[in-house]
Amino acid sequence: MERFIMCILFFVIINAVALMQFTAAQTVHVVGDDLGWTVPQNGATAYSNWAASKRFLIGDILVFNFTTNEHDVLQVPRASFDECSDDNPIGNMLINGPANVTLNSTGEQYYICTIGRHCELGQRLAITVSATSSSPLPAPSPTTPTTPSPTSNDCTPAPTSGPTAGSIPAPNATPNSSSSSSVRATLLLSMFPIFMSLVF
């Protein structure tokens, strides 16, 4: 009887660990949803409004959906974001679309497009990344109202012939799943028969 109770207890622990791992899985966020990563018609408010309704956590993935050679993505510090400058980049510029960025640190993060005047016309994103899902939704980051009137030829919004939110290639992890969680759960479940053979 004692062995039976030990087996049940072990099985409950394995299931609890697997459940905890799957509930802490990452989310895939398609930046701008159907708009994608482009020069928005209504300026910087498009991306700030989009981000205000999202919760970004460590491990989440941002998908910047754009056509290669028409846009790019560069993470920059706040000062460069405010000035739409590619000075002091954080990491490498992403030039092939769609581009995936895994969020691996907490705090404010800033992304811009460096092509032409795209950033000045609103193609920039400010987000706040939290460590846990129990954190409240962050207040929307203020955007500097520097949207000039589109008078030059280099700031025309890119055509929407590129990939759409529904047709992007899936990143390495699907929404609400985690490959590392799956590995851990599989490992724990594979240990169950070994434990059973030792007990009986």
Side-chain angles (χ1 to χ4, degrees), residues 83-117:
E83 297 171 9
C84 282
S85 166
D86 59 1
D87 291 343
N88 305 311
I90 300 171
N92 296 323
M93 182 180 302
L94 304 173
I95 58 173
N96 296 316
N100 297 338
V101 173
T102 301
L103 303 175
N104 55 19
S105 63
T106 60
E108 294 184 352
Q109 296 184 19
Y110 304 95
Y111 301 90
I112 64 172
C113 178
T114 66
I115 295 179
R117 296 181 54 220

mmCIF file of all heavy atoms in Angstrom, residues 83-117:
data_model
loop_
_atom_site.group_PDB
_atom_site.id
_atom_site.type_symbol
_atom_site.label_atom_id
_atom_site.label_comp_id
_atom_site.label_asym_id
_atom_site.label_seq_id
_atom_site.Cartn_x
_atom_site.Cartn_y
_atom_site.Cartn_z
ATOM 1 N N GLU A 83 14.999 60.414 -30.751
ATOM 2 C CA GLU A 83 15.578 61.185 -31.857
ATOM 3 C C GLU A 83 15.474 60.464 -33.195
ATOM 4 O O GLU A 83 15.923 60.997 -34.213
ATOM 5 C CB GLU A 83 17.043 61.482 -31.549
ATOM 6 C CG GLU A 83 17.243 62.339 -30.315
ATOM 7 C CD GLU A 83 18.708 62.428 -29.906
ATOM 8 O OE1 GLU A 83 19.582 61.961 -30.675
ATOM 9 O OE2 GLU A 83 18.974 62.957 -28.821
ATOM 10 N N CYS A 84 14.919 59.270 -33.212
ATOM 11 C CA CYS A 84 14.884 58.432 -34.421
ATOM 12 C C CYS A 84 16.281 58.307 -35.010
ATOM 13 O O CYS A 84 16.514 58.535 -36.199
ATOM 14 C CB CYS A 84 13.892 58.987 -35.447
ATOM 15 S SG CYS A 84 12.184 58.598 -35.033
ATOM 16 N N SER A 85 17.202 57.910 -34.165
ATOM 17 C CA SER A 85 18.601 57.794 -34.550
ATOM 18 C C SER A 85 19.060 56.348 -34.376
ATOM 19 O O SER A 85 18.650 55.671 -33.436
ATOM 20 C CB SER A 85 19.449 58.714 -33.668
ATOM 21 O OG SER A 85 20.812 58.404 -33.775
ATOM 22 N N ASP A 86 19.931 55.914 -35.279
ATOM 23 C CA ASP A 86 20.473 54.566 -35.134
ATOM 24 C C ASP A 86 21.775 54.562 -34.331
ATOM 25 O O ASP A 86 22.493 53.566 -34.316
ATOM 26 C CB ASP A 86 20.657 53.888 -36.491
ATOM 27 C CG ASP A 86 21.596 54.642 -37.413
ATOM 28 O OD1 ASP A 86 22.144 55.693 -37.014
ATOM 29 O OD2 ASP A 86 21.793 54.179 -38.548
ATOM 30 N N ASP A 87 22.057 55.656 -33.619
ATOM 31 C CA ASP A 87 23.225 55.709 -32.741
ATOM 32 C C ASP A 87 23.033 54.732 -31.584
ATOM 33 O O ASP A 87 21.924 54.547 -31.083
ATOM 34 C CB ASP A 87 23.410 57.117 -32.165
ATOM 35 C CG ASP A 87 23.832 58.129 -33.215
ATOM 36 O OD1 ASP A 87 24.293 57.703 -34.295
ATOM 37 O OD2 ASP A 87 23.681 59.340 -32.970
ATOM 38 N N ASN A 88 24.102 54.115 -31.164
ATOM 39 C CA ASN A 88 24.119 53.201 -30.023
ATOM 40 C C ASN A 88 23.137 52.033 -30.170
ATOM 41 O O ASN A 88 22.329 51.789 -29.279
ATOM 42 C CB ASN A 88 23.823 53.964 -28.720
ATOM 43 C CG ASN A 88 24.767 55.118 -28.519
ATOM 44 O OD1 ASN A 88 25.973 54.967 -28.628
ATOM 45 N ND2 ASN A 88 24.210 56.290 -28.252
ATOM 46 N N PRO A 89 23.208 51.299 -31.265
ATOM 47 C CA PRO A 89 22.280 50.171 -31.430
ATOM 48 C C PRO A 89 22.497 49.115 -30.354
ATOM 49 O O PRO A 89 23.594 48.955 -29.834
ATOM 50 C CB PRO A 89 22.620 49.619 -32.814
ATOM 51 C CG PRO A 89 24.039 50.035 -33.050
ATOM 52 C CD PRO A 89 24.201 51.357 -32.344
ATOM 53 N N ILE A 90 21.427 48.410 -30.031
ATOM 54 C CA ILE A 90 21.496 47.286 -29.098
ATOM 55 C C ILE A 90 21.321 46.036 -29.957
ATOM 56 O O ILE A 90 20.241 45.758 -30.450
ATOM 57 C CB ILE A 90 20.388 47.393 -28.037
ATOM 58 C CG1 ILE A 90 20.545 48.685 -27.244
ATOM 59 C CG2 ILE A 90 20.407 46.162 -27.125
ATOM 60 C CD1 ILE A 90 19.386 49.003 -26.322
ATOM 61 N N GLY A 91 22.389 45.324 -30.184
ATOM 62 C CA GLY A 91 22.324 44.143 -31.040
ATOM 63 C C GLY A 91 22.451 44.516 -32.511
ATOM 64 O O GLY A 91 22.781 45.648 -32.856
ATOM 65 N N ASN A 92 22.171 43.544 -33.354
ATOM 66 C CA ASN A 92 22.309 43.735 -34.797
ATOM 67 C C ASN A 92 21.007 44.197 -35.425
ATOM 68 O O ASN A 92 19.920 43.880 -34.941
ATOM 69 C CB ASN A 92 22.733 42.417 -35.464
ATOM 70 C CG ASN A 92 24.095 41.970 -35.005
ATOM 71 O OD1 ASN A 92 24.992 42.777 -34.792
ATOM 72 N ND2 ASN A 92 24.252 40.670 -34.830
ATOM 73 N N MET A 93 21.142 44.922 -36.527
ATOM 74 C CA MET A 93 19.975 45.335 -37.288
ATOM 75 C C MET A 93 19.387 44.104 -37.981
ATOM 76 O O MET A 93 20.114 43.279 -38.522
ATOM 77 C CB MET A 93 20.372 46.386 -38.340
ATOM 78 C CG MET A 93 19.190 46.907 -39.135
ATOM 79 S SD MET A 93 19.682 48.139 -40.364
ATOM 80 C CE MET A 93 20.459 49.372 -39.349
ATOM 81 N N LEU A 94 18.071 43.995 -37.960
ATOM 82 C CA LEU A 94 17.373 42.896 -38.614
ATOM 83 C C LEU A 94 16.877 43.402 -39.962
ATOM 84 O O LEU A 94 16.056 44.318 -40.012
ATOM 85 C CB LEU A 94 16.211 42.411 -37.757
ATOM 86 C CG LEU A 94 16.598 41.992 -36.338
ATOM 87 C CD1 LEU A 94 15.360 41.684 -35.511
ATOM 88 C CD2 LEU A 94 17.545 40.808 -36.366
ATOM 89 N N ILE A 95 17.398 42.838 -41.040
ATOM 90 C CA ILE A 95 17.085 43.348 -42.371
ATOM 91 C C ILE A 95 16.233 42.397 -43.197
ATOM 92 O O ILE A 95 15.728 42.784 -44.245
ATOM 93 C CB ILE A 95 18.373 43.698 -43.144
ATOM 94 C CG1 ILE A 95 19.279 42.479 -43.260
ATOM 95 C CG2 ILE A 95 19.100 44.853 -42.479
ATOM 96 C CD1 ILE A 95 20.490 42.690 -44.153
ATOM 97 N N ASN A 96 16.073 41.164 -42.744
ATOM 98 C CA ASN A 96 15.277 40.190 -43.483
ATOM 99 C C ASN A 96 13.943 39.981 -42.782
ATOM 100 O O ASN A 96 13.897 39.609 -41.615
ATOM 101 C CB ASN A 96 16.017 38.855 -43.605
ATOM 102 C CG ASN A 96 17.283 38.987 -44.424
ATOM 103 O OD1 ASN A 96 17.293 39.619 -45.474
ATOM 104 N ND2 ASN A 96 18.369 38.410 -43.939
ATOM 105 N N GLY A 97 12.862 40.221 -43.521
ATOM 106 C CA GLY A 97 11.534 40.073 -42.936
ATOM 107 C C GLY A 97 10.883 38.772 -43.324
ATOM 108 O O GLY A 97 11.215 38.203 -44.356
ATOM 109 N N PRO A 98 9.976 38.287 -42.509
ATOM 110 C CA PRO A 98 9.695 38.750 -41.157
ATOM 111 C C PRO A 98 10.827 38.397 -40.197
ATOM 112 O O PRO A 98 11.536 37.428 -40.419
ATOM 113 C CB PRO A 98 8.411 38.001 -40.775
ATOM 114 C CG PRO A 98 8.370 36.810 -41.657
ATOM 115 C CD PRO A 98 9.126 37.158 -42.901
ATOM 116 N N ALA A 99 10.970 39.215 -39.168
ATOM 117 C CA ALA A 99 12.060 39.036 -38.212
ATOM 118 C C ALA A 99 11.483 38.756 -36.828
ATOM 119 O O ALA A 99 10.517 39.394 -36.413
ATOM 120 C CB ALA A 99 12.930 40.284 -38.166
ATOM 121 N N ASN A 100 12.083 37.795 -36.133
ATOM 122 C CA ASN A 100 11.649 37.431 -34.779
ATOM 123 C C ASN A 100 12.647 37.941 -33.754
ATOM 124 O O ASN A 100 13.855 37.798 -33.940
ATOM 125 C CB ASN A 100 11.530 35.914 -34.636
ATOM 126 C CG ASN A 100 10.480 35.331 -35.545
ATOM 127 O OD1 ASN A 100 9.573 36.016 -35.991
ATOM 128 N ND2 ASN A 100 10.593 34.057 -35.823
ATOM 129 N N VAL A 101 12.123 38.507 -32.666
ATOM 130 C CA VAL A 101 12.953 38.973 -31.554
ATOM 131 C C VAL A 101 12.415 38.330 -30.286
ATOM 132 O O VAL A 101 11.240 38.499 -29.948
ATOM 133 C CB VAL A 101 12.900 40.515 -31.421
ATOM 134 C CG1 VAL A 101 13.633 40.973 -30.167
ATOM 135 C CG2 VAL A 101 13.455 41.190 -32.653
ATOM 136 N N THR A 102 13.269 37.572 -29.582
ATOM 137 C CA THR A 102 12.879 36.978 -28.313
ATOM 138 C C THR A 102 13.216 37.954 -27.194
ATOM 139 O O THR A 102 14.354 38.436 -27.113
ATOM 140 C CB THR A 102 13.608 35.637 -28.086
ATOM 141 O OG1 THR A 102 13.274 34.754 -29.164
ATOM 142 C CG2 THR A 102 13.195 35.003 -26.768
ATOM 143 N N LEU A 103 12.238 38.269 -26.370
ATOM 144 C CA LEU A 103 12.432 39.216 -25.276
ATOM 145 C C LEU A 103 13.150 38.496 -24.140
ATOM 146 O O LEU A 103 12.624 37.540 -23.575
ATOM 147 C CB LEU A 103 11.080 39.758 -24.816
ATOM 148 C CG LEU A 103 10.260 40.434 -25.915
ATOM 149 C CD1 LEU A 103 8.885 40.835 -25.391
ATOM 150 C CD2 LEU A 103 11.005 41.627 -26.485
ATOM 151 N N ASN A 104 14.379 38.961 -23.827
ATOM 152 C CA ASN A 104 15.184 38.253 -22.832
ATOM 153 C C ASN A 104 15.605 39.113 -21.651
ATOM 154 O O ASN A 104 16.437 38.700 -20.862
ATOM 155 C CB ASN A 104 16.405 37.611 -23.498
ATOM 156 C CG ASN A 104 17.235 38.605 -24.262
ATOM 157 O OD1 ASN A 104 17.129 39.804 -24.027
ATOM 158 N ND2 ASN A 104 18.046 38.125 -25.175
ATOM 159 N N SER A 105 15.050 40.319 -21.540
ATOM 160 C CA SER A 105 15.341 41.152 -20.372
ATOM 161 C C SER A 105 14.124 42.011 -20.047
ATOM 162 O O SER A 105 13.329 42.336 -20.925
ATOM 163 C CB SER A 105 16.570 42.034 -20.612
ATOM 164 O OG SER A 105 16.335 42.924 -21.676
ATOM 165 N N THR A 106 14.006 42.369 -18.763
ATOM 166 C CA THR A 106 12.878 43.193 -18.336
ATOM 167 C C THR A 106 13.172 44.663 -18.575
ATOM 168 O O THR A 106 14.317 45.051 -18.804
ATOM 169 C CB THR A 106 12.572 42.974 -16.841
ATOM 170 O OG1 THR A 106 13.731 43.337 -16.088
ATOM 171 C CG2 THR A 106 12.174 41.549 -16.551
ATOM 172 N N GLY A 107 12.132 45.466 -18.505
ATOM 173 C CA GLY A 107 12.274 46.910 -18.634
ATOM 174 C C GLY A 107 11.790 47.411 -19.981
ATOM 175 O O GLY A 107 11.206 46.676 -20.772
ATOM 176 N N GLU A 108 12.037 48.689 -20.219
ATOM 177 C CA GLU A 108 11.610 49.311 -21.465
ATOM 178 C C GLU A 108 12.543 48.911 -22.600
ATOM 179 O O GLU A 108 13.760 48.843 -22.427
ATOM 180 C CB GLU A 108 11.577 50.828 -21.308
ATOM 181 C CG GLU A 108 10.509 51.274 -20.320
ATOM 182 C CD GLU A 108 10.397 52.786 -20.215
ATOM 183 O OE1 GLU A 108 11.243 53.518 -20.786
ATOM 184 O OE2 GLU A 108 9.451 53.251 -19.556
ATOM 185 N N GLN A 109 11.952 48.640 -23.760
ATOM 186 C CA GLN A 109 12.715 48.294 -24.958
ATOM 187 C C GLN A 109 12.160 49.109 -26.119
ATOM 188 O O GLN A 109 10.948 49.320 -26.213
ATOM 189 C CB GLN A 109 12.637 46.794 -25.244
ATOM 190 C CG GLN A 109 13.284 45.991 -24.139
ATOM 191 C CD GLN A 109 13.320 44.503 -24.434
ATOM 192 O OE1 GLN A 109 13.187 44.056 -25.560
ATOM 193 N NE2 GLN A 109 13.523 43.719 -23.395
ATOM 194 N N TYR A 110 13.060 49.532 -27.011
ATOM 195 C CA TYR A 110 12.701 50.447 -28.093
ATOM 196 C C TYR A 110 13.205 49.904 -29.423
ATOM 197 O O TYR A 110 14.358 49.482 -29.527
ATOM 198 C CB TYR A 110 13.315 51.827 -27.828
ATOM 199 C CG TYR A 110 12.920 52.387 -26.480
ATOM 200 C CD1 TYR A 110 13.732 52.220 -25.368
ATOM 201 C CD2 TYR A 110 11.711 53.045 -26.330
ATOM 202 C CE1 TYR A 110 13.355 52.705 -24.125
ATOM 203 C CE2 TYR A 110 11.327 53.541 -25.092
ATOM 204 C CZ TYR A 110 12.150 53.374 -24.001
ATOM 205 O OH TYR A 110 11.770 53.854 -22.776
ATOM 206 N N TYR A 111 12.334 49.952 -30.435
ATOM 207 C CA TYR A 111 12.660 49.451 -31.770
ATOM 208 C C TYR A 111 12.266 50.502 -32.797
ATOM 209 O O TYR A 111 11.213 51.142 -32.684
ATOM 210 C CB TYR A 111 11.894 48.149 -32.045
ATOM 211 C CG TYR A 111 12.212 47.067 -31.046
ATOM 212 C CD1 TYR A 111 11.455 46.931 -29.876
ATOM 213 C CD2 TYR A 111 13.266 46.193 -31.257
ATOM 214 C CE1 TYR A 111 11.751 45.950 -28.948
ATOM 215 C CE2 TYR A 111 13.566 45.205 -30.328
ATOM 216 C CZ TYR A 111 12.802 45.091 -29.179
ATOM 217 O OH TYR A 111 13.102 44.122 -28.264
ATOM 218 N N ILE A 112 13.122 50.678 -33.817
ATOM 219 C CA ILE A 112 12.839 51.640 -34.880
ATOM 220 C C ILE A 112 13.152 51.024 -36.243
ATOM 221 O O ILE A 112 13.871 50.042 -36.340
ATOM 222 C CB ILE A 112 13.662 52.946 -34.713
ATOM 223 C CG1 ILE A 112 15.166 52.662 -34.848
ATOM 224 C CG2 ILE A 112 13.336 53.633 -33.392
ATOM 225 C CD1 ILE A 112 16.040 53.917 -34.902
ATOM 226 N N CYS A 113 12.599 51.657 -37.286
ATOM 227 C CA CYS A 113 13.009 51.366 -38.657
ATOM 228 C C CYS A 113 13.968 52.481 -39.041
ATOM 229 O O CYS A 113 13.681 53.662 -38.832
ATOM 230 C CB CYS A 113 11.807 51.350 -39.598
ATOM 231 S SG CYS A 113 12.274 51.051 -41.333
ATOM 232 N N THR A 114 15.117 52.127 -39.613
ATOM 233 C CA THR A 114 16.139 53.132 -39.928
ATOM 234 C C THR A 114 16.099 53.594 -41.380
ATOM 235 O O THR A 114 16.913 54.414 -41.780
ATOM 236 C CB THR A 114 17.543 52.575 -39.628
ATOM 237 O OG1 THR A 114 17.819 51.490 -40.520
ATOM 238 C CG2 THR A 114 17.668 52.116 -38.186
ATOM 239 N N ILE A 115 15.189 53.077 -42.167
ATOM 240 C CA ILE A 115 15.141 53.429 -43.595
ATOM 241 C C ILE A 115 14.443 54.771 -43.775
ATOM 242 O O ILE A 115 13.346 54.996 -43.258
ATOM 243 C CB ILE A 115 14.446 52.316 -44.408
ATOM 244 C CG1 ILE A 115 15.301 51.051 -44.331
ATOM 245 C CG2 ILE A 115 14.192 52.754 -45.840
ATOM 246 C CD1 ILE A 115 14.752 49.848 -45.045
ATOM 247 N N GLY A 116 15.087 55.652 -44.521
ATOM 248 C CA GLY A 116 14.510 56.969 -44.826
ATOM 249 C C GLY A 116 14.037 57.681 -43.577
ATOM 250 O O GLY A 116 14.736 57.742 -42.578
ATOM 251 N N ARG A 117 12.816 58.202 -43.645
ATOM 252 C CA ARG A 117 12.219 58.911 -42.520
ATOM 253 C C ARG A 117 11.116 58.065 -41.873
ATOM 254 O O ARG A 117 10.214 58.606 -41.229
ATOM 255 C CB ARG A 117 11.672 60.253 -43.002
ATOM 256 C CG ARG A 117 12.796 61.161 -43.511
ATOM 257 C CD ARG A 117 12.301 62.522 -43.968
ATOM 258 N NE ARG A 117 11.527 63.182 -42.924
ATOM 259 C CZ ARG A 117 10.419 63.877 -43.156
ATOM 260 N NH1 ARG A 117 9.955 64.002 -44.378
ATOM 261 N NH2 ARG A 117 9.768 64.453 -42.171
#
